[in-house]
Every structure is written in C-alpha cells, then in structure tokens.
Amino acid sequence: MNDRMEEDAALQDLGLADGPGETAEPPPRRSVRERVAGWRGIVGRNRALWITTAVAVASLVAGLVVGRFVVSPADAAASAAAPPAGFVTVPVESGPLSNDVTLRAEVGYADPVQVQVDTSGLQGAAVVTGQVPAVGAELGPLAVALEVAGRPVIVLPGDLPSYRTLRYGVSGPDVAQFKQAMRTIGLDAGDPADPRFDEQAAQSVAALYTQVGYPAPATDADSVSSLRSAQAGVRAAEQAVATAQGDLAKAGAGTGAVDIREADNAVASARRAVDAARAESPQDAGRIADLEDALGLAQLRRQQLDAHPDTAAARAAVDAAQSQLRDARDELTRAQQGALPVLPAGELLYLTQLPRRVDAVEARRGAELKGTAMTVSGATVALNGAAGDADAKLLRVGAAAAFDLPDGTSHPATVAALTPGKTASDRWTVTLTPEPLRPEQLAQLQGKNVRVSVSVGTTEGDVLHVPVAALSAGPGGESRVEVVEGDPRSPETRTHLVVVETGLAAAGAVEVRPVDGGLSRGDLVVVGR
C-alpha cells in the first residue's frame, strides 16, 4: 500500500497522474533535469521488479537458441541413419535408334587448282588479249580459258601439265595424253597406246584449232625455207636420173640396120676390088695386097657390129643419179616433217574432272600475264572434313549423311570418298557430296564450316530400348534386364529378370527384344541400387 502510494506520488511529481479528489488540470511545466530525476527515482524504488523481468526475457531467448541448434544424441543418431533401401530405375522407351558419326566439314567447290600458263615460248610480252572468264564460269573440254598474245589457251581433259611443245618426232606420256584427250573430244590423233607424235597426230592439230575457231600455230620460217630447198633438190636429182637413163638407153640400143647395111656394102665392094685386081694381066701384086687389106678391115668392122654394146659407164651414171635422188627425197621428208603443225605448250591447259568452275581471276585484259592466271575448282560442291581413325572405320562410301544449312534446316549428303592419313595417327579426310543446292544456298555456304552427321546404323522403325547400364549378363552369357513390379522406393518391392536379345547401340542406349519374359514401353528397369 505504501509502495502504491509512493508510485502515485512519483507520477504526480512527473505530471502523469491527478491528485486524489482533484480535477485534472494541466500540470505545471517542469524542466528536463526534474523529469530525469523522477525516472531515476522510479527505477531505484522498483529495482527488484526490473531485474526479475530481464532474467525471464534472457531465459526465454536462450531456450529458443538451444532448441534450434542443440540436437540430442538420440535425435542425431536417428538423423544419420540411411533411408530404407530402394531401386534406381528408368522406363523402357520406344522409338527409332540411330548411331551417327559427327564431324565438322568445310563447304567449297571440289579440288581447287591454280592455273598458270607457260609463256616461255612467246617471242614478245605475254599480254592478255581476250577470253578472260568471269567468276562462276565453267570450263569444259575445248573451252578457251584465256587468250594470250592473240593465241588461245585450250582446255583439254588430262592430269599431266603441258610442259613442252609437241612437234613431229617427240615421244612420251604427254603425247599419249594428247592423243587420249583428242579421242575424248571426238578427234583422231592416233592410237593413245603409241606415245609418238607422228604425222597423224600433227595433222590433227589443225582440226583441233578449227574446233575452237583459231588458226593452227604457224610454221617457223626456217622450216619453210628448208622445205623449199629440199623440194628443189629432189627436182634436180630427178632430172639427173632422167639424163643418165637416156644415155644408158642409147648405149644399150646396139647397131642400127643402116650401119649394118653400110658395113656389108663395104665388105662386098672391097671383095670386088680384090677380084678385079686379080683378073688383070699382068697382075699388080702390090695393088692386090692393098686391096686385100682393105677387104679384111671391112670384114672386121662388120664383125664388130654383131658384138654386144658396152653400157657399164652409162649404167654407173644412172646408179649415181638415183642415189642422189634418194638422198634428196629423204631430205624432203625431213623437211616436210619439220614443217608439220606443232602444238605449243602455252596453248594447252590440261584439267581433270571437267567441267571446272572459275573461282577467282587474276588475269586482266591488256595486262601482262605473270604468275597465276586464275583459280578453278570442280563445278560441284563438296564437303571436306576430318575424322579420327576409330570413327572413320565406321564410315563407308555411299553412306547417308546430313548437314545444317544456315537457316537451321538439315540437308542430305552422301559420303563420296574416304582418304586415310599418311600415318596411323593422322586423321582421315572425309569427302561428302551434298544433294543439289539452290544458288542462294550455295552463296551462303561457300567457305563455311558446318556440322555433319553421318549415319552408321539405324533401326527400321520404332524399337524398345534401354540404357546400356540396365543390361546384365546371365550365367550363360545371355543379356537380361531387371524389371520392377511395384513402387521402386518401397523395400518390399519385388523384381523379375527378363532375358533380351540386343540390337543397335547408340548414344548410351541399346535396342532390346524380349526373349524370355514380357517387356513393354514404360516398364521400369533397374540401373542401380
């Protein structure tokens, strides 16, 4: 009672309560010092109450903290115990399986080649005078790739570069290639098995240039001069032979009838003179002797007319003239061969896999040709990628593939070639041929690197498949899966084994076909415990 009265008095002192039996009136305003002193008085007089309240609040907070962070040994043991054992399962799935090899490939036209023209045979500057192709143009057999100093550079099929001028008498693989190329374009330059540039091959050069609309290469002046000189030599030798043969004919013709008759008449006249001299009386022995000598001479001359004529000298002259004619004719043959058409090295361009596409052109009309004239490639687009030895051995020529277009769609392709690396550790080169592409697609893809997927195995339609981890081996080596019969989380759940036959494996999954037991899509199979 006394304490309450003291509190009331204190409140009255602070102006917070009315006095007993008094009407409340605004207390007189007190100073801050007086108010603080009043509060101190209240705390001092109720110290026990305040201490008890503080202890209760602290105990409450401590209890909350201990209850939150302190765990009893029993609770800790209960928390550390393993949960009831269960199964790790996955459902059996159904769908197609495909095993693919993935690689990166560059898109471009096949087999780029830098074209260089041999201009060493030109007398003047190798100025480009025309026929400059545009980028994207195609070069086929008999195309004129370029015109240099007014002369064409003719495209022919072949893989051996033109490295020398082909003229009559040369022989080698370049001649055989020329004959084969001519046969390919429908012209006959001779048998490709004969590596000689013979007269038939030389004569075919004119036909080749007629096909491309240019005159055949001109024969050099020295060859023309030699030919004319040889022709004159043959004419002179032929005239000499004719003269010698005429002389031989005269020498071998013998004595004519007139000469024989004259000789007979001379013998008869001489004999009559002798007879007349002998009939005279007296006889003149000296005169008779002279007449007898004349008769003997006439008889001897007549006998000579019956002998065979000596034609040895005339025949020797004929033989010498004929030998000179043979030499002249041989010289003419050589001159004619030397004047046959030639095929300059700089006017032929052999390219494989025709037609070819012009990718870049460095040659400029009116400028001197130096170095590379142009770059050509195959006219078809190819994808060139690389694969490791293990992946490459899964591939085969003709296998189906697909690659991503810039718009995100897939485009089909086919494996065209597989080229092993030079060593066992080198990657294989994989060449693929895409299905036809539109011009705008070609423009977007040229020079790009794309992702290619090559199918090396696929199922025919939907199949059941499970992860490889779901398979286990039976006592006889058979494959099997463990199928859960209830809730896999329950320790009481039962399982049973299903023997399966496996098929294609791809991306961690394997095709399964039940052999002993049932298996359906959605069944849960165990992959772990």
Side-chain angles (χ1 to χ4, degrees), residues 168-236:
Y168 181 88
V170 302
S171 179
D174 53 341
V175 178
Q177 177 176 263
F178 168 72
K179 290 183 177 182
Q180 182 60 51
M182 293 288 278
R183 177 168 292 186
T184 301
I185 62 176
L187 298 176
D188 188 7
D191 185 1
D194 182 2
R196 294 180 300 109
F197 196 81
D198 53 16
E199 185 173 351
Q200 183 177 0
Q203 295 293 358
S204 71
V205 171
L208 171 64
Y209 280 81
T210 299
Q211 289 275 18
V212 297
Y214 281 81
T219 305
D220 62 90
D222 290 342
S223 297
V224 173
S225 177
S226 297
L227 177 60
R228 290 175 178 173
S229 177
Q231 289 171 337
V234 169
R235 288 194 296 268

Side-chain angles (χ1 to χ4, degrees), residues 88-345:
V88 179
T89 61
V90 294
V92 176
E93 296 187 8
S94 176
L97 280 182
S98 178
N99 194 2
D100 299 334
V101 170
T102 302
L103 53 97
R104 305 293 301 184
E106 295 287 338
V107 182
Y109 288 93
D111 192 18
V113 174
Q114 291 184 335
V115 173
Q116 294 185 335
V117 179
D118 182 4
T119 59
S120 59
L122 294 177
Q123 299 296 326
V127 177
V128 178
T129 53
Q131 299 283 11
V132 181
V135 173
E138 287 191 1
L139 300 179
L142 288 177
V144 176
L146 207 63
E147 183 184 276
V148 181
R151 299 299 301 166
V153 179
I154 304 171
V155 177
L156 289 178
D159 56 5
L160 183 65
S162 177
Y163 60 89
R164 63 174 175 174
T165 295
L166 298 183
R167 62 179 74 253
Y168 181 88
V170 302
S171 179
D174 53 341
V175 178
Q177 177 176 263
F178 168 72
K179 290 183 177 182
Q180 182 60 51
M182 293 288 278
R183 177 168 292 186
T184 301
I185 62 176
L187 298 176
D188 188 7
D191 185 1
D194 182 2
R196 294 180 300 109
F197 196 81
D198 53 16
E199 185 173 351
Q200 183 177 0
Q203 295 293 358
S204 71
V205 171
L208 171 64
Y209 280 81
T210 299
Q211 289 275 18
V212 297
Y214 281 81
T219 305
D220 62 90
D222 290 342
S223 297
V224 173
S225 177
S226 297
L227 177 60
R228 290 175 178 173
S229 177
Q231 289 171 337
V234 169
R235 288 194 296 268
E238 289 174 341
Q239 183 62 40
V241 168
T243 301
Q245 288 176 336
D247 293 342
L248 176 61
K250 290 180 180 179
T255 305
V258 174
D259 291 337
I260 292 175
R261 183 61 181 268
E262 287 178 347
D264 288 341
N265 288 344
V267 170
S269 177
R271 182 175 286 111
R272 285 193 297 271
V274 170
D275 292 340
R278 286 177 179 172
E280 291 180 355
S281 179
Q283 293 182 342
D284 187 350
R287 181 170 177 273
I288 291 174
D290 290 339
L291 291 174
E292 287 178 347
D293 290 340
L295 175 59
L297 180 60
Q299 290 174 335
L300 181 61
R301 287 177 175 171
R302 176 64 183 83
Q303 290 174 357
Q304 287 180 342
L305 292 180
D306 292 336
H308 293 291
D310 184 5
T311 59
R315 191 171 297 280
V318 170
D319 291 343
Q322 289 176 336
S323 177
Q324 291 176 354
L325 178 59
R326 286 193 296 269
D327 292 342
R329 284 174 174 171
D330 289 343
E331 185 63 28
L332 176 61
T333 299
R334 288 190 291 270
Q336 289 173 334
Q337 293 169 349
L340 286 171
V342 298
L343 197 55

